[in-house]
Amino acid sequence: METAVIERRQSTREMQPFWDELNLAQKFSVAELQRFGYELSFVRHATSGSLAVLRAGNKFAAINHEGVIDTAPVITIRH
């Protein structure tokens, strides 16, 4: 059990730069999705504002600059 806690902390630390890029509305929405197992993967920046992208297994979700959650986003993931 202790190992899972350490891994979670490391993951949180790695995501901190992305978290800092979110506005307050996005942070609330990210926190809501985290309750369902989603984790913040990255933040994309566009002229319309930032887009937070989260992942839970093979499912993705996106949160726009207004904090609106889209659980079926049409996004291209680069490898």
Side-chain angles (χ1 to χ4, degrees):
M1 184 76 172
E2 189 173 321
T3 303
V5 173
I6 292 170
E7 290 174 4
R8 177 87 172 155
R9 287 181 188 159
Q10 289 171 342
S11 176
T12 301
R13 238 183 269 136
E14 291 171 2
M15 290 298 112
Q16 189 63 40
F18 295 128
W19 181 260
D20 293 340
E21 295 179 37
L22 303 177
N23 63 36
L24 189 58
Q26 288 172 314
K27 288 178 180 180
F28 276 110
S29 295
V30 167
E32 184 66 24
L33 285 177
Q34 286 176 329
R35 294 177 45 212
F36 299 98
Y38 283 87
E39 293 184 7
L40 182 60
S41 294
F42 58 89
V43 177
R44 284 202 179 150
H45 299 281
T47 55
S48 60
S50 62
L51 182 72
V53 179
L54 295 88
R55 185 175 186 172
N58 62 353
K59 298 184 297 185
F60 287 90
I63 302 170
N64 71 14
H65 66 281
E66 294 177 345
V68 176
I69 298 171
D70 180 356
T71 56
V74 178
I75 55 174
T76 302
I77 306 296
R78 293 176 271 196
H79 297 277

